[in-house]
Amino acid sequence: MLKKLPQFFLFLVTVACLAQIPQGALLGTVVDPTDARVPGASVTASARGFKLLRTVKTTKLGEFRIESLPPGTYDVTVQAAGFADQTGSVEVAVAATPTMNIVMQTAPVQQTVTVQGETGSLTAQPIETSNTVVKTTIGMNDLAEVPLALRSFANISYLAPMTEPVEPSDPTKARITAVSFGGSSGLNVDLSVDGGDNNDDYIGGFLQNYSPDALQQFTVRTAQFDADTSRTNGGSVIMSTRRGENDWHGGLAAYYRNKNLNARNELDNPEPGPKQPFSRENAVGALGGPIVKDKLWFFTALEYVNEDASIAYNNLSLNEFNALAQLASMGQIPGASSIAVPNSVAAPFHDTMFSTRLDFSQSQKSHWFLRGAFDLNDTTNDLVQQGTLPSTGAATTSHYYSLLLSNQYQFTPTWIGDFIFQASNFHHVKVRNSHLGFALAFPFSADFHTTSGFETFGDNQFVTPITAFPVNRDQQKYQYRYDLNHVAGSHSPRFGINFIHEPVLSGRIADDAERLIQFTALNPSDLLSSGQSLAPFFNCDPGAVSPDPTACPVNSSGNPLARITDVPAGGGNFAQSVLRLGFYAQDSWRMRPNLTVNYGLRYDRTFGLFDSNGGNQFQNPAVATVSALNLPLPNGIPHDYRRAFAPRLGIAWSPGNSGKTVIRAGAGIYYNDLAQNGWVDALRAVVPGPAPILGPGDQGALIDPHYRTPYALQASAGFEHAITK
């Protein structure tokens, strides 16, 4: 209810602050009826539903700022000598700062105002006049009401401007779609949950998935100029999990989809083939409430997914598969006297997502929470596509675990510290459907756009022109982070350190011995109709030239009928131990009521980025060969980059006093190491000890010794005007 709005004018805007810590702040100005500032007024913000109370005094300019507020609804009370108490409520969102302009009245008049925050409606100020960051905040109502195709929180990120979905190029993270910012790959995004790092350091993008019912809020930032944002040259997504409150709350839900409600995947089920069979059921439960009222709360969410997906073959594929099966029955394929050709292949997927959280109010100054979560999923016939038989697939299992401890301590009304410790683990295994020692690739199935290999039948090494997919992956990560906030008049300086230790960042690329027979023009039906036998391709010598009897078959022009590659066994393991360290300092300076400036500096350093298997790149045979033979190639090994200094600057200016127009601008440098999969061949080539020299025909992989951490220079400017309320 709103009473006497002209005497108690309150509006909400947002300034950039608290980028990666999933909290907000409250900024405001207290004036008397003549618009004169009221210094020394007492401003108290009290959280609804859980016990948190913050009290500050207005400065000599009548301004106040309350930092590190967990997202939620707050009751605000303003008291000053000679004036009536003012009370109201405000919604604080993740990484946002509602701003209150409070006009006090002389005693004994009592006034009350209720205002919803950014996830609701604004009752006064039509636009955000102090925001230097382009962002979209998504709350529980959005998560509950907006349809999500895969029940993944990532899907709702597409509501933010400048974002779009990207087909994930990493099948080790099932059903987590990448989010592209400004047309980027979607793998260069910084992601955090409750302030904890949620980045995949092998290929980039999201790591652990969470049920939308476990999330309270998240903010999608498409342009940011705060120094505490790191490891991104795209955008950032900041998530906060739900907490328990003094009121019991929760829910049960079930979701169902079938093939009629399922879109085609253009990679493995394009037109004009039949639409593949599909059904999907989600069962969701959530519950939260007080264990000890005003002291200890809990919240738990559980979601189970049962998906009966499949790959449907079109007539072209079925005809070619049947021709291949006939060649096998004629004894032309070693170890495969028969091949089963189904009309479709079942690819079931099961996923269990669990999250639980305990919040503890130790005192008015100290607040803790402990959050544990896991995501366990498995897939059968993973990576099978429209042009491939089930032999090329795998049974995939992925397990994610995370445990996060957080403490917020208020040293004084103007000094607040935030501590975060997180331990997480990711374990991924692919068990291949076949170990035949060979793979057949034909033109009808070969496609460099596919996310799996292009083999039609046989072993699949999971290596494509896009990337190399590991059959095993492990990522163990420990994070320590501390952020210190200080409010001093119109300034809000902030300092922080972020240390991440990954003692295990390892995996194995499929390394069975394999012969890849890739036909350039002939499909199985062509071989069958022409009478050309497959048998000679399995034992021939690709280096021999006709009329040598060991040479591989050629056409009438003497050109090979197939490209044949022999992949030796072994050498697929890579194991790293990586350290990441970052520091930053920044300030949000409210120079004038209509002008806010953010400025800061960040420094990041990575240790052990190129070391693997207990050695460094000096133990890489390719490096040793270049040095020993003095080849005209880069000589030496790369080193961790040490000059990643990143300044940031952002401003927001609202001309005049109407608050209907705002001009925003900013610039910043953002460093982000390349994902490890880009040089996995060089990492797995390292063997401790003296490196051997490559022999004739051997291949090797080098990392440029002059490597520098890539960076992006981002700059933006925008103009916004409210034509009407």
Side-chain angles (χ1 to χ4, degrees):
M1 183 177 181
L2 188 63
K3 299 180 179 179
K4 300 184 179 179
L5 180 60
Q7 288 78 29
F8 181 68
F9 179 54
L10 184 152
F11 63 90
L12 302 175
V13 297
T14 303
V15 295
C17 76
L18 302 173
Q20 297 307 101
I21 295 294
Q23 297 166 353
L26 184 61
L27 175 68
T29 303
V30 180
V31 299
D32 67 14
T34 67
D35 208 30
R37 302 296 179 94
V38 180
S42 177
V43 182
T44 300
S46 176
R48 287 186 185 175
F50 66 104
K51 191 175 182 181
L52 190 146
L53 191 71
R54 293 278 171 74
T55 300
V56 298
K57 296 286 188 179
T58 57
T59 66
K60 62 182 179 181
L61 297 178
E63 297 179 344
F64 68 90
R65 188 181 187 111
I66 306 175
E67 291 284 358
S68 296
L69 295 175
T73 303
Y74 288 81
D75 294 317
V76 179
T77 301
V78 183
Q79 297 175 314
F83 296 95
D85 294 349
Q86 305 290 324
T87 61
S89 63
V90 64
E91 187 77 16
V92 175
V94 172
T97 307
T99 302
M100 307 178 71
N101 187 32
I102 301 167
V103 179
M104 304 292 286
Q105 297 297 314
T106 56
V109 179
Q110 179 75 30
Q111 294 158 350
T112 301
V113 65
T114 300
V115 178
Q116 293 180 332
E118 292 191 357
T119 57
S121 61
L122 304 180
T123 59
Q125 189 70 5
I127 60 175
E128 301 174 349
T129 57
S130 300
N131 182 17
T132 69
V133 175
V134 180
K135 68 171 184 62
T136 302
T137 298
I138 298 159
M140 287 186 294
N141 290 338
D142 301 305
L143 291 166
E145 296 173 3
V146 176
L148 301 178
L150 295 176
R151 286 282 299 163
S152 169
F153 62 83
N155 296 133
I156 206 169
S157 300
Y158 310 146
L159 294 176
M162 294 178 61
T163 66
E164 63 177 349
V166 178
E167 182 66 30
S169 59
D170 177 14
T172 63
K173 298 191 295 296
R175 309 307 190 271
I176 304 181
T177 307
V179 181
S180 170
F181 288 75
S184 66
S185 67
L187 303 177
N188 57 345
V189 179
D190 188 47
L191 308 145
S192 65
V193 180
D194 294 323
D197 183 282
N198 193 34
N199 295 298
D200 184 338
D201 293 323
Y202 175 74
I203 196 171
F206 289 96
L207 185 61
Q208 183 173 347
N209 199 8
Y210 289 79
S211 169
D213 286 69
L215 298 177
Q216 176 157 330
Q217 258 183 12
F218 67 93
T219 294
V220 181
R221 304 185 62 172
T222 50
Q224 60 263 311
F225 305 106
D226 286 349
D228 59 355
T229 302
S230 66
R231 298 180 59 198
T232 176
N233 43 42
S236 62
V237 181
I238 309 137
M239 290 157 276
S240 173
T241 57
R242 292 178 68 178
R243 62 173 175 267
E245 298 179 349
N246 283 332
D247 295 326
W248 289 94
H249 54 291
L252 293 172
Y255 302 86
Y256 173 74
R257 279 172 56 196
N258 59 24
K259 72 174 184 178
N260 297 324
L261 300 173
N262 194 44
R264 289 179 181 269
N265 184 324
E266 292 303 322
L267 287 177
D268 54 55
N269 189 214
E271 298 279 7
K275 205 171 186 181
Q276 72 268 36
F278 179 87
S279 68
R280 178 185 175 100
E281 301 86 35
N282 295 61
V284 186
L287 180 66
I291 298 176
V292 179
K293 192 172 182 179
D294 290 330
K295 195 71 175 180
L296 182 65
W297 307 264
F298 86 98
F299 185 86
T300 295
L302 174 67
E303 179 165 356
Y304 177 72
V305 181
N306 177 60
E307 179 181 288
D308 293 318
S310 61
I311 305 300
Y313 295 133
N314 58 29
N315 290 331
L316 171 62
S317 296
L318 289 173
N319 289 336
E320 296 299 338
F321 291 155
N322 286 320
L324 184 65
Q326 190 170 346
L327 291 172
S329 67
M330 297 165 61
Q332 296 189 21
I333 302 178
S337 59
S338 65
I339 298 175
V341 181
N343 290 325
S344 64
V345 178
F349 169 74
H350 309 98
D351 193 9
T352 302
M353 292 172 286
F354 175 79
S355 177
T356 187
R357 172 168 166 164
L358 287 173
D359 284 78
F360 173 55
S361 177
Q362 182 181 10
S363 66
Q364 283 294 344
K365 294 184 176 181
S366 180
H367 297 266
W368 299 80
F369 76 80
L370 177 68
R371 188 258 297 153
F374 63 73
D375 178 10
L376 314 177
N377 61 68
D378 62 82
T379 307
T380 305
N381 291 322
D382 194 18
L383 297 179
V384 174
Q385 297 185 93
Q386 174 118 127
T388 64
L389 282 166
S391 61
T392 64
T396 296
T397 302
S398 296
H399 290 176
Y400 311 77
Y401 302 91
S402 65
L403 182 69
L404 183 140
L405 176 68
S406 175
N407 174 252
Q408 182 184 100
Y409 190 81
Q410 184 178 15
F411 298 96
T412 70
T414 59
W415 285 97
I416 299 175
D418 290 286
F419 167 75
I420 288 173
F421 168 75
Q422 179 178 250
S424 62
N425 186 73
F426 169 47
H427 179 63
H428 172 85
V429 177
K430 271 182 167 55
V431 179
R432 301 197 295 178
N433 290 346
S434 65
H435 294 270
L436 300 175
F438 65 86
L440 302 175
F442 294 95
F444 83 93
S445 60
D447 187 347
F448 71 92
H449 290 296
T450 59
T451 55
S452 75
F454 47 73
E455 292 87 339
T456 304
F457 177 73
D459 296 350
N460 188 335
Q461 292 283 354
F462 308 122
V463 178
T464 74
I466 299 176
T467 187
F469 299 137
V471 294
N472 296 104
R473 273 189 62 193
D474 286 279
Q475 180 172 315
Q476 191 178 104
K477 183 183 298 189
Y478 300 93
Q479 178 187 14
Y480 304 86
R481 174 166 185 160
Y482 198 82
D483 296 82
L484 191 62
N485 305 287
H486 179 53
V487 178
S490 58
H491 291 269
S492 182
R494 184 175 174 85
F495 314 92
I497 180 172
N498 190 19
F499 175 72
I500 295 175
H501 180 210
E502 292 179 271
V504 177
L505 183 58
S506 64
R508 182 173 71 89
I509 304 299
D511 53 5
D512 289 0
E514 176 186 273
R515 167 162 283 200
L516 172 61
I517 305 173
Q518 185 179 0
F519 289 87
T520 56
L522 297 175
N523 282 316
S525 59
D526 300 319
L527 293 169
L528 191 63
S529 62
S530 67
Q532 172 68 56
S533 175
L534 264 174
F537 294 93
F538 288 95
N539 298 310
C540 65
D541 181 2
V545 180
S546 182
D548 189 326
T550 65
C552 296
V554 297
N555 60 18
S556 58
S557 302
N559 296 319
L561 291 174
R563 293 193 297 269
I564 297 179
T565 305
D566 289 314
V567 180
N573 292 307
F574 60 93
Q576 296 184 270
S577 178
V578 178
L579 300 175
R580 306 180 192 275
L581 183 63
F583 303 90
Y584 75 90
Q586 71 175 44
D587 182 27
S588 179
W589 181 16
R590 197 178 184 209
M591 299 179 65
R592 299 178 59 188
N594 62 347
L595 177 62
T596 299
V597 178
N598 290 337
Y599 52 94
L601 179 67
R602 182 173 188 90
Y603 176 75
D604 286 285
R605 172 77 189 276
T606 304
F607 303 84
L609 193 62
F610 310 104
D611 298 340
S612 179
N613 298 333
N616 58 37
Q617 288 299 309
F618 279 123
Q619 281 79 51
N620 182 344
V623 174
T625 302
V626 169
S627 177
L629 302 182
N630 197 26
L631 299 178
L633 292 169
N635 197 345
I637 67 172
H639 298 280
D640 299 320
Y641 189 57
R642 303 176 182 177
R643 290 181 285 178
F645 290 94
R648 316 278 170 85
L649 176 66
I651 65 170
W653 176 50
S654 179
N657 298 317
S658 68
K660 294 183 178 181
T661 301
V662 60
I663 298 170
R664 302 180 179 90
I669 294 178
Y670 297 82
Y671 286 90
N672 190 18
D673 283 311
L674 294 176
Q676 300 298 88
N677 74 306
W679 44 55
V680 66
D681 287 334
L683 296 176
R684 64 192 181 100
V686 172
V687 178
I693 304 299
L694 295 175
D698 291 343
Q699 293 185 344
L702 296 170
I703 303 175
D704 188 350
H706 304 294
Y707 170 85
R708 296 183 178 182
T709 299
Y711 70 89
L713 175 61
Q714 295 186 8
S716 69
F719 172 86
E720 186 178 5
H721 179 73
I723 299 175
T724 68
K725 291 183 179 180

